[in-house]
Amino acid sequence: MELQQQPPPRQPEGCLTVAIRIPVRIVVLVLVVPVRMAWDLLAAAARAVHRSLLRPVGRALAWLGRTLIVTPLVFLGRCLSWLVHTLVVIPLAWLWRWLVVTPLTWLWRWLAVPLWRYGVVVPASLLWRYGVVAPASLLWRYGVVVPASLLYRYVLTPLGYGIAWLVGGLARGAAGVGAGLAWLGRGIAWLAARGWAGLAWVGRGIAVVVSAVGSALVRVGLILFVVPLGWFYRWVLTPLGRAVAVVAREVGAAFGHAWRIAGHVSRAVGRGLKWLGWQLVGRPLRWVWRTVCAPVLHWVREAVWAPVKRAAVEAGRIAGAALGTARRAAREALASARETVRRARADAWRALVGGPPREPAPHPARTLGSTTTASGAVPAPEISLHKTEG
């Protein structure tokens, strides 16, 4: 069970609100009713124009643009793309393949790879295996390793010890200098602390003086400015603001109320005009349509259009059957011609080359072991094997 939210209780209204409300609503209603009726009339006219003129015109323009501009441009673009693909892309691809890719592939496969393998890799491997390994190892040992070890033992080690002793002396001197600087810093910090204590005492005295002077100035400002301004705000501006707020609220409410009432009046007037137009124009037009136009159109549909439609459908059906028969006859003639050409080519090849006698091809008209024929197939000719081979 849902708890319904109770509306907040209305605040009691004063006499000023009640005295202002009725005259303001009357004046606003007189001013708003013509405006609302003109607005509704313009809105109805705009809807009628959009529904009966702008929307059909827009659809017609869209159809014309699609038929006269978009469809030809699409067709032209497809034709151009086909021409470009046929006349440019395919020849360029063929030329690229046979003039660039195929020669480069042949050169890489039959020239570059064998030349690199048998001209560089094999001689280098043989030379490294049988002529370079032993001399290179001796050269590395007595030319690099032994001199480096001697240099490290008799030059770099004594030099490192000397540098370490020098760095240690410098570190001890830096530690002594740091201790002296620390003692000097502590003395400076002690002096700074004493000086800061003296400055803090002077600052507290100045703060006491400034606080006393500030308190006196605040009291004077409060008496001379704040109290009169507070009195003026409380007894002048606040009542005036409340009155203005009441008047503005009532004027806004009056405008809303008058707009709603004017809407009801406008709808009533519109219904009256609609009823009058139906009685004067719509009902006679409906009577003319039902009693005159509809019977004539029904007679035209039953006596003229229906026979013409049936005749056109029958003619189309007959033409379709004739076209189907001609298509089937042409397909059978082409199949028979292809079979005849194939048999003649086979006989000529057998006469030139020689071979075993050809078995007659099983005809699809007969089934295995029976004399029944398949549906829609032509019966096979009754010709013996000897006649066929002869």
Side-chain angles (χ1 to χ4, degrees):
M1 182 176 180
E2 297 182 356
L3 297 177
Q4 296 182 356
Q5 186 177 4
Q6 298 294 332
R10 298 183 60 182
Q11 298 292 333
E13 299 177 349
C15 58
L16 180 62
T17 303
V18 178
I20 290 175
R21 180 175 298 166
I22 301 301
V24 168
R25 290 192 175 183
I26 293 173
V27 173
V28 171
L29 180 62
V30 172
L31 295 175
V32 168
V33 168
V35 176
R36 179 59 186 267
M37 294 186 67
W39 175 263
D40 291 339
L41 181 62
L42 290 175
R47 287 194 295 270
V49 169
H50 179 266
R51 184 171 56 251
S52 60
L53 180 61
L54 296 180
R55 188 182 298 173
V57 170
R59 291 178 178 175
L61 291 177
W63 181 81
L64 287 176
R66 186 171 57 252
T67 305
L68 299 179
I69 298 175
V70 176
T71 303
L73 288 178
V74 171
F75 178 75
L76 181 62
R78 289 179 179 177
C79 292
L80 290 176
S81 65
W82 180 80
L83 288 175
V84 170
H85 184 268
T86 305
L87 300 178
V88 178
V89 175
I90 294 177
L92 288 178
W94 186 84
L95 291 174
W96 173 261
R97 179 180 178 183
W98 293 106
L99 296 180
V100 179
V101 177
T102 302
L104 290 178
T105 304
W106 186 87
L107 289 175
W108 173 261
R109 181 178 296 174
W110 301 105
L111 184 62
V113 173
L115 183 62
W116 172 258
R117 178 178 295 175
Y118 298 105
V120 177
V121 176
V122 174
S125 62
L126 295 175
L127 183 63
W128 176 262
R129 180 176 295 177
Y130 296 105
V132 180
V133 175
S137 61
L138 295 175
L139 180 63
W140 171 260
R141 181 176 181 181
Y142 294 103
V144 177
V145 176
V146 174
S149 62
L150 294 175
L151 179 65
Y152 176 77
R153 179 178 297 176
Y154 296 106
V155 177
L156 296 180
T157 301
L159 183 61
Y161 284 134
I163 292 173
W165 180 80
L166 181 61
V167 169
L170 292 176
R172 287 189 293 272
V177 173
L181 292 176
W183 181 81
L184 182 61
R186 285 194 295 271
I188 293 172
W190 183 81
L191 293 175
R194 295 298 181 267
W196 180 256
L199 291 175
W201 184 81
V202 174
R204 283 195 295 272
I206 295 173
V208 170
V209 174
V210 170
S211 175
V213 174
S215 299
L217 292 176
V218 166
R219 291 180 180 277
V220 172
L222 182 65
I223 294 171
L224 294 179
F225 297 102
V226 176
V227 173
L229 289 175
W231 181 88
F232 181 75
Y233 175 79
R234 179 176 297 177
W235 300 105
V236 177
L237 293 180
T238 300
L240 183 62
R242 289 178 180 175
V244 171
V246 170
V247 172
R249 185 175 65 251
E250 292 300 326
V251 169
F255 268 103
H257 188 69
W259 187 260
R260 289 190 294 273
I261 293 175
H264 290 293
V265 173
S266 177
R267 282 193 288 273
V269 172
R271 292 193 188 98
L273 293 176
K274 182 180 179 181
W275 179 84
L276 185 62
W278 173 252
Q279 297 297 328
L280 296 178
V281 179
R283 192 180 294 275
L285 289 177
R286 187 180 66 175
W287 180 82
V288 170
W289 173 261
R290 288 183 176 180
T291 57
V292 178
C293 297
V296 172
L297 293 176
H298 284 299
W299 179 81
V300 169
R301 184 183 64 186
E302 299 294 336
V304 178
W305 175 251
V308 172
K309 182 179 179 180
R310 286 194 295 270
V313 170
E314 189 65 27
R317 187 181 296 110
I318 294 172
L323 289 175
T325 304
R327 189 182 297 110
R328 286 193 297 272
R331 190 182 297 112
E332 292 175 358
L334 291 174
S336 178
R338 284 196 297 269
E339 183 65 23
T340 303
V341 171
R342 187 182 66 79
R343 290 183 179 180
R345 186 172 64 247
D347 293 338
W349 178 259
R350 189 171 57 255
L352 292 174
V353 178
R358 181 178 56 85
E359 293 292 335
H363 200 276
R366 293 186 180 275
T367 59
L368 183 61
S370 65
T371 58
T372 58
T373 58
S375 60
V378 181
E382 298 295 334
I383 300 175
S384 64
L385 179 61
H386 300 288
K387 290 183 180 181
T388 303
E389 294 300 328

